[in-house]
Each structure stands twice: as structure tokens, then as C-alpha cells.
Amino acid sequence: MIDVIRDKVKELLDSGEIKGFLGLVRKNGHIAPHLFQKGDDLGAMSLGDDKVAGDARYPLNKFLINLAKAYPEETFAVLVRGCDDRGLQTLYTWNQLNPKKVVPVGITCPQELADACECLKPFPAVITAGECAQPGTPRSVAAVDALVMSERFSYWMDEFVKCIKCYGCSNVCPMCFCNECTLKCDDLVKGGELPPEIPVFHHTRAMHMVGRCIDCGLCEEACPSNIPLRTLYKKVGSIMEEQFDFTTGAVRGQRSPLNKIDFAEGRK
Amino acid sequence: MLKFSGIDEARLKASWVSSAEAPELVHEFTSFIKELRELGPSPLRADYRRELV
């Protein structure tokens, strides 16, 4: 799979279509984000599979936003999985990236990763390399739904109380791009208190993930306290599906139904 | 989301009341306070931090 990606990237770089390819590199025993440019050695390129598939993923779209801001005239290619692709589509609708300046290089996720993520679409819209895996089976949300109310409450409170308010979840989140963050506002979230006010802190983030969370699961991977954040945001996503028939990032150009102001102004 | 977190949905209420409708506003408040009294103290009143520190 990686050879196909290398060839594709080389072709894009040589043709001058893109200024650089934002992907991953294996360096000094670690996998890290890297911007490959024309003439660079593509030999150390990685697809984010260290010991098991997809265990070294990064929010590449988040870095791409910064790149695009610094070089607004340039076109960049970026390595995308199914979740990153949903992220790109959503970032386009939020005007964080210009689709004309982004060339996605899509890879599919293997079945084991799709199952672990309970991912409903473990492949991007345009696939450069790889075979489509079957969607994972949703389990985590149903497991919490199966609990009675009092058990649910203590389950979540026992998880939330572990929070050390490191902001890892929002720092790693490719969809967290606001300049001002509610969770970093002193008047709303009191500084110097651990854990933060629960469950309000986590519910606030969950509410802000409505129509934004693309279910990449990086938050849960980043959380040093292993709070099952992904399950919380998966629930948010499932409510959006039930109520509005909207899956974040699934359809290109489709805005969140909560952006009603666009419809009022007659824009699309 | 509240239900998913094991919190009684009846503890949250949203009503649209115009600033010109004072009696309506009072009614909303008094009836909601009555409902909350019946539900009893919130489980969130327990101090979860103290157990930890």
C-alpha cells in the first residue's frame, strides 16, 4: 500500500501540482508528522502503523489548517483515512480550509482498525490505495444505554472525576479550531481546580462537538486518564443522525443542520 | 445527553417566554420549582472531588 502512496506523492510533487505532502515519517524510532517537499526522500514515509494498524495517527488536518494559513496561495496534499476525509469535508464547510488548495491522498483502514474504532466508514471518498473494510459494529454507546439510570450516572462520574484538565482532547482534536474556547474562559471554567466541574466540563465539550465530531477517536487516544470520550461523542453523533439524518462530513458540502442562519440568508 | 449520562431529563427545562409575558414567566418558574422539589436533591450535589483529594 505504501508504495502506491509513494508513487502518487512523487507524481504530485514532480508535476508541481502541490507544494508539499503532509504525511507521516518514521524517524529515530518514532512516527511523526512530516511535510514532504519536492526532492525529499520518500523512503522513510509511514502510514501511521507502528506496532498495530493505525496506532500512530495524528491530526494532520489540524496541521494543514496552520500550513494553509501561512501559505494561502499554495496547494498541499494530505494523507487521509476515512475519518480525516470526513474532517476535511467538515472543515471546508466551516471555511477552515479551501477545497481547491487541498489534494487528499486517501488510504483505507484495515478491518481490525475499523472494528476497534467501531468506524462506520473506514475509508475515504477517493481511495488512492487499499481495500475497503466492512464498517465496524457500534457497541460502546449501546453498552452505556443498557445500564439503568443510576448506573449510567456513576459510570460517567467515575470516569469524569479522573480528568486532569490537560486539554489534550481539544488540543489533538482536528475539529477544535475556535480562536476563543469556552473551556479556556476563566468566567466559565474556574482555573486551578481539579478535576474541573463535572460533568459540566465534559458535557460542554460534547455539546460543542455537535455537527463537528468526525469520530476519529484521537481525543480518547490522547486522554492520559483514559476517559471514554469517544463514546460520549459517538452518542452526540448518533443523536444528530436520529434527529436530523445528518452524519458529520459524510456528504461533501453539506453543512451542519444547526447552521440555520445560512438557510435564513438564502446561502448554501 | 443528560439521559445518556444518567441524569433525570426532568431536571432541565427550556421555555420560550417573551419579556412582555410576566405571568407566563412566573408560572414557568413556580411550576418548575415545584417539579424540582418533588424530584428531590440533585445527585450532582455530592462532592466528587473530596473522595479523590
Side-chain angles (χ1 to χ4, degrees), chain A residues 144-145 149 152-153 156-157 161 193 195 197 199 203 207 235, chain B residues 1-9 43-44 48-49 52-53:
Chain A
V144 177
D145 276 333
M149 288 291 267
R152 274 186 218 175
F153 183 73
W156 283 116
M157 290 305 263
V161 82
E193 234 178 38
E197 190 184 352
H203 277 184
M207 287 300 123
K235 180 67 183 183
Chain B
M1 280 309 286
L2 284 180
K3 210 169 151 191
F4 186 63
S5 310
I7 299 169
D8 195 343
E9 285 172 295
L44 292 173
Y48 279 79
R49 293 156 217 236
L52 221 74
V53 183

Side-chain angles (χ1 to χ4, degrees), chain A residues 38-104:
Chain A
K38 199 171 179 176
D40 283 359
D41 173 28
L42 302 179
M45 189 188 281
S46 163
L47 296 181
D49 310 318
D50 191 10
K51 291 182 185 67
V52 292
D55 62 348
R57 297 183 298 136
Y58 284 87
L60 293 177
N61 289 342
K62 192 162 195 158
F63 309 138
L64 185 61
I65 295 174
N66 291 335
L67 263 177
K69 270 185 194 150
Y71 303 94
E73 299 303 320
E74 305 291 355
T75 302
F76 293 98
V78 62
L79 182 71
V80 295
R81 291 174 184 270
C83 48
D84 302 314
D85 192 43
R86 294 193 291 274
L88 277 183
Q89 304 308 331
T90 312
L91 290 168
Y92 296 155
T93 67
W94 287 93
N95 293 329
Q96 296 300 308
L97 284 171
N98 179 354
K100 290 183 186 129
K101 300 284 180 195
V102 179
V103 179

Side-chain angles (χ1 to χ4, degrees), chain A residues 122-135:
Chain A
F123 48 86
V126 180
I127 300 163
T128 306
E131 301 281 321
C132 292
Q134 293 299 314

Side-chain angles (χ1 to χ4, degrees), chain A residues 13-27:
Chain A
L13 284 170
D14 288 346
S15 72
E17 195 184 330
I18 57 166
K19 180 77 175 168
F21 168 72
L22 187 57
L24 300 167
V25 73
R26 185 183 284 278
K27 215 174 185 179

